[in-house]
Amino acid sequence: MCYGKRGRGCRGEGALLALGLLAALGFLVWWHGPPPRRAARRAPPLPPSPDTELLRRPVYAKPALDPAALGELGRAVRLELSPAEKRRQEESIRRHQINIYLSDRISLHRRLPERWHPLCREKKYDYYNLPRTSVVIAFYNEAWSTLLRTVHSVLETSPDILLEEVILVDDYSDKEHLKETLENYVAGLRKVRLIRANKREGLVRARLLGASVAKGDILTFLDCHCECHEGWLEPLLERIAEEETAVVCPVIDVIDWNTFEYLGNAGEPQIGGFDWRLVFTWHSTPEREQKRRKSKTDVIRVTILFYRSPTMAGGLFSVSKKYFDYLGSYDTGMEVWGGENLEFSFREPYGDVTERRLLREKLKCKDFKWFLENVYPELHVPEDRPGFFGMLRNRGMENFCFDYNPTNEHQVTGHRVILYPCHGMGQNQFFEYTSHNEIRYNTRQPEVCAAVDSGTDYLTMYLCQENVHSVPENQKFVFREDGTLFHLQTQKCVQAESNVYNGNPAPLLRPCTNSDYQKWFFKERS
């Protein structure tokens, strides 16, 4: 479950994300190519167990349900607090980006409501022939309750027969509660090991530290603030048992960061992608993947709804340990966190790439062009036309550029373009003029194009058309040789004007003149 706020997971100090697992709805499957040899070792088939419930038993049973307990069954909690208590709660939020004051008052063993498709209960697993997994959880200065709730959630929902161990990797935390107190607590838990880094390593190397001592055939990486549903583990392991090269990610649900309400995950599972900031993004499952299934019920009954995905979120996934090593594991040159999931998805190195180049030759990797054309064809690739992408600058209002920065990452459309001092960092100031007469902002996904609503003079961003041959008339501009941006529908030119939109300069449509304020040019770098 993902705590719906602004956190970034156990990947950096002070900004925390909570992730969890809902095995009943679906999985993202991502894979490279075959390893040199198949690593799976299948035991001879055994007759079905007369008591499947025995095989499904977790390492620990949850305590008896207390329906009145705070947050039980994923209910929202809103505390009545004194002024002093409110201050302590606000301080916990400031420090962790999650309401830890409340988390500390919720049971470490709480249950979540089930949101399974009814047909998922018909799914049977051959527990004797599923591989065993080591669960690796790296953390740095994590709050006590969220970290231990993760550990107990894994122990209380994972079949004992399938869970080899839980490996907690302390990435050189300096909080007192994560020292001897944690050691003593973990010492009383079956199958849990605590290892510590000797210096701050960052997420990538901390995870590798855990993987290096793992005993299980499968590595399952989790962020350090997760809550797992019963039945989360079996489908992950079964998919890898079927296809050794699969890297499997579960559906990620949402828990409210402030009330700890379980919000679930509405609708169909999505696939992972990325935008040209190299930021991971979620997308609707493309039609080509939908067509691959015979029907929803058939797939749910047989394979628990797997989708092939171009990239993975990176916070939590399962992979064969042998295949992970074969692929070169993580790039240890990557510091702290961020991007390791994309790098692992398309194995494109950066930095000192000597070792990565040798690995690429050894694995006979295809190039990135092949990846875009065959694995992620839905992503718009900017046209390679020098002079038609970068910062869109104005000649009259010197050093001001087109700027688009929607406040909500999940609502990219419907906002106006402004002008802002050029910063040369790309991101919200990276635009492209396409050969189909669009002004595209394609840094984020989904991509948006400049348009002019009827009766207005502003440039507002709306979704670009997937079919470039059906671009709406109000999104068509001609970038003329003299530098003017001519809007075909209104027969007007884009002009830079100051103090027109919430105190900011902005591009507006005006009758065409020879003014420098109507002259624009692209610059790739500042």
Side-chain angles (χ1 to χ4, degrees), residues 103-384:
S103 176
D104 291 345
R105 285 153 180 77
I106 294 175
S107 171
L108 300 179
H109 311 275
R110 79 160 179 171
R111 291 170 170 80
L112 297 174
E114 292 184 356
R115 301 282 175 86
W116 289 25
H117 191 289
L119 290 176
C120 289
R121 293 199 171 279
E122 299 180 12
K123 175 65 182 174
K124 306 298 181 187
Y125 297 99
D126 184 358
Y127 285 89
Y128 287 116
N129 283 328
L130 290 181
R132 293 164 65 88
T133 187
S134 295
V135 175
V136 178
I137 302 170
F139 67 92
Y140 172 72
N141 283 351
E142 178 67 20
W144 177 268
S145 58
T146 47
L147 177 61
L148 269 299
R149 190 176 295 114
T150 302
V151 174
H152 283 291
S153 183
V154 172
L155 295 174
E156 293 166 5
T157 59
S158 304
D160 197 354
I161 194 175
L162 300 180
L163 183 65
E164 181 70 39
E165 61 193 340
V166 176
I167 302 173
L168 293 177
V169 184
D170 174 18
D171 190 16
Y172 210 57
S173 299
D174 55 23
K175 300 299 182 185
E176 195 62 35
H177 67 272
L178 297 174
K179 297 180 181 179
E180 186 177 356
T181 305
L182 180 62
E183 289 180 9
N184 293 338
Y185 190 96
V186 167
L189 296 176
R190 288 182 56 218
K191 296 195 173 187
V192 181
R193 286 197 283 163
L194 174 63
I195 62 175
R196 298 189 188 273
N198 295 321
K199 60 184 177 68
R200 185 83 164 95
E201 295 287 359
L203 174 71
V204 169
R205 289 191 292 270
R207 282 184 166 182
L208 289 178
L209 183 60
S212 69
V213 301
K215 300 175 182 176
D217 295 325
I218 307 299
L219 297 173
T220 297
F221 295 102
L222 298 183
D223 274 344
C224 52
H225 25 245
C226 297
E227 296 185 49
C228 306
H229 278 278
E230 180 184 343
W232 72 277
L233 184 57
E234 292 94 317
L236 298 175
L237 302 182
E238 183 185 60
R239 184 66 187 94
I240 296 172
E242 294 170 349
E243 177 56 64
E244 184 80 20
T245 63
V247 181
V248 192
C249 304
V251 168
I252 302 174
D253 284 351
V254 177
I255 289 177
D256 187 271
W257 64 271
N258 193 29
T259 67
F260 277 70
E261 179 183 8
Y262 170 66
L263 301 175
N265 191 304
E268 288 279 324
Q270 296 179 307
I271 65 166
F274 62 93
D275 59 29
W276 292 111
R277 299 171 297 168
L278 291 184
V279 172
F280 175 85
T281 55
W282 290 110
H283 299 279
S284 299
T285 306
E287 187 177 352
R288 60 186 169 84
E289 277 296 300
Q290 298 282 5
K291 288 180 177 178
R292 200 171 54 82
R293 299 182 292 156
K294 294 180 180 179
S295 73
K296 292 182 181 179
T297 53
D298 283 345
V299 174
I300 290 173
R301 181 180 294 115
V302 176
T303 62
I304 312 294
L305 197 58
F306 288 101
Y307 290 111
R308 294 178 295 191
S309 180
T311 63
M312 60 184 186
L316 54 169
F317 66 95
S318 292
V319 59
S320 159
K321 189 174 189 295
K322 289 186 177 180
Y323 188 58
F324 185 67
D325 292 338
Y326 165 76
L327 287 176
S329 67
Y330 281 128
D331 182 349
T332 56
M334 303 186 75
E335 300 289 339
V336 188
W337 76 277
E340 80 288 339
N341 54 321
L342 298 186
E343 191 276 335
F344 190 68
S345 296
F346 35 70
R347 285 270 79 135
E348 286 292 314
Y350 62 88
D352 182 358
V353 299
T354 305
E355 292 185 5
R356 295 283 119 178
R357 284 187 179 277
L358 292 174
L359 176 67
R360 185 175 180 177
E361 292 174 7
K362 172 187 172 185
L363 298 178
K364 296 181 172 56
C365 297
K366 294 181 170 64
D367 60 23
F368 195 53
K369 183 174 183 288
W370 179 92
F371 179 92
L372 293 172
E373 291 175 348
N374 294 273
V375 180
Y376 198 11
E378 291 79 22
L379 181 67
H380 169 79
V381 179
E383 298 172 350
D384 187 11

Side-chain angles (χ1 to χ4, degrees), residues 279-525:
V279 172
F280 175 85
T281 55
W282 290 110
H283 299 279
S284 299
T285 306
E287 187 177 352
R288 60 186 169 84
E289 277 296 300
Q290 298 282 5
K291 288 180 177 178
R292 200 171 54 82
R293 299 182 292 156
K294 294 180 180 179
S295 73
K296 292 182 181 179
T297 53
D298 283 345
V299 174
I300 290 173
R301 181 180 294 115
V302 176
T303 62
I304 312 294
L305 197 58
F306 288 101
Y307 290 111
R308 294 178 295 191
S309 180
T311 63
M312 60 184 186
L316 54 169
F317 66 95
S318 292
V319 59
S320 159
K321 189 174 189 295
K322 289 186 177 180
Y323 188 58
F324 185 67
D325 292 338
Y326 165 76
L327 287 176
S329 67
Y330 281 128
D331 182 349
T332 56
M334 303 186 75
E335 300 289 339
V336 188
W337 76 277
E340 80 288 339
N341 54 321
L342 298 186
E343 191 276 335
F344 190 68
S345 296
F346 35 70
R347 285 270 79 135
E348 286 292 314
Y350 62 88
D352 182 358
V353 299
T354 305
E355 292 185 5
R356 295 283 119 178
R357 284 187 179 277
L358 292 174
L359 176 67
R360 185 175 180 177
E361 292 174 7
K362 172 187 172 185
L363 298 178
K364 296 181 172 56
C365 297
K366 294 181 170 64
D367 60 23
F368 195 53
K369 183 174 183 288
W370 179 92
F371 179 92
L372 293 172
E373 291 175 348
N374 294 273
V375 180
Y376 198 11
E378 291 79 22
L379 181 67
H380 169 79
V381 179
E383 298 172 350
D384 187 11
R385 300 198 307 154
F388 291 96
F389 60 84
M391 296 177 288
L392 186 49
R393 304 180 65 154
N394 185 258
R395 294 196 181 278
M397 194 174 291
E398 193 173 349
N399 201 36
F400 274 80
C401 289
F402 266 44
D403 191 290
Y404 188 65
N405 193 22
T407 55
N408 189 330
E409 181 81 16
H410 305 291
Q411 294 180 352
V412 183
T413 65
H415 303 280
R416 293 174 179 174
V417 179
I418 65 169
L419 295 175
Y420 197 79
C422 305
H423 52 57
M425 301 295 291
Q427 304 274 352
N428 49 303
Q429 290 188 358
F430 185 90
F431 289 81
E432 174 194 12
Y433 179 74
T434 74
S435 58
H436 303 285
N437 303 113
E438 305 162 297
I439 301 175
R440 270 187 182 250
Y441 172 75
N442 53 24
T443 305
R444 301 188 188 186
Q445 291 289 320
E447 294 163 16
V448 289
C449 287
V452 180
D453 290 328
S454 178
T456 73
D457 294 323
Y458 292 102
L459 272 60
T460 304
M461 303 303 278
Y462 293 107
L463 290 179
C464 301
Q465 293 296 309
E466 291 186 15
N467 183 353
V468 294
H469 300 294
S470 58
V471 176
E473 291 302 311
N474 69 340
Q475 290 186 12
K476 290 183 179 179
F477 295 82
V478 176
F479 195 13
R480 301 194 291 200
E481 289 187 7
D482 62 358
T484 54
L485 279 169
F486 182 69
H487 187 242
L488 283 170
Q489 188 179 60
T490 61
Q491 300 288 293
K492 292 182 178 180
C493 290
V494 179
Q495 178 172 307
E497 294 196 5
S498 59
N499 198 26
V500 293
Y501 181 61
N502 292 339
N504 290 303
L508 302 178
L509 289 188
R510 293 290 184 256
C512 295
T513 66
N514 196 34
S515 167
D516 279 350
Y517 290 95
Q518 293 187 0
K519 303 293 176 62
W520 304 87
F521 67 100
F522 280 99
K523 190 171 182 181
E524 293 183 36
R525 297 176 179 85

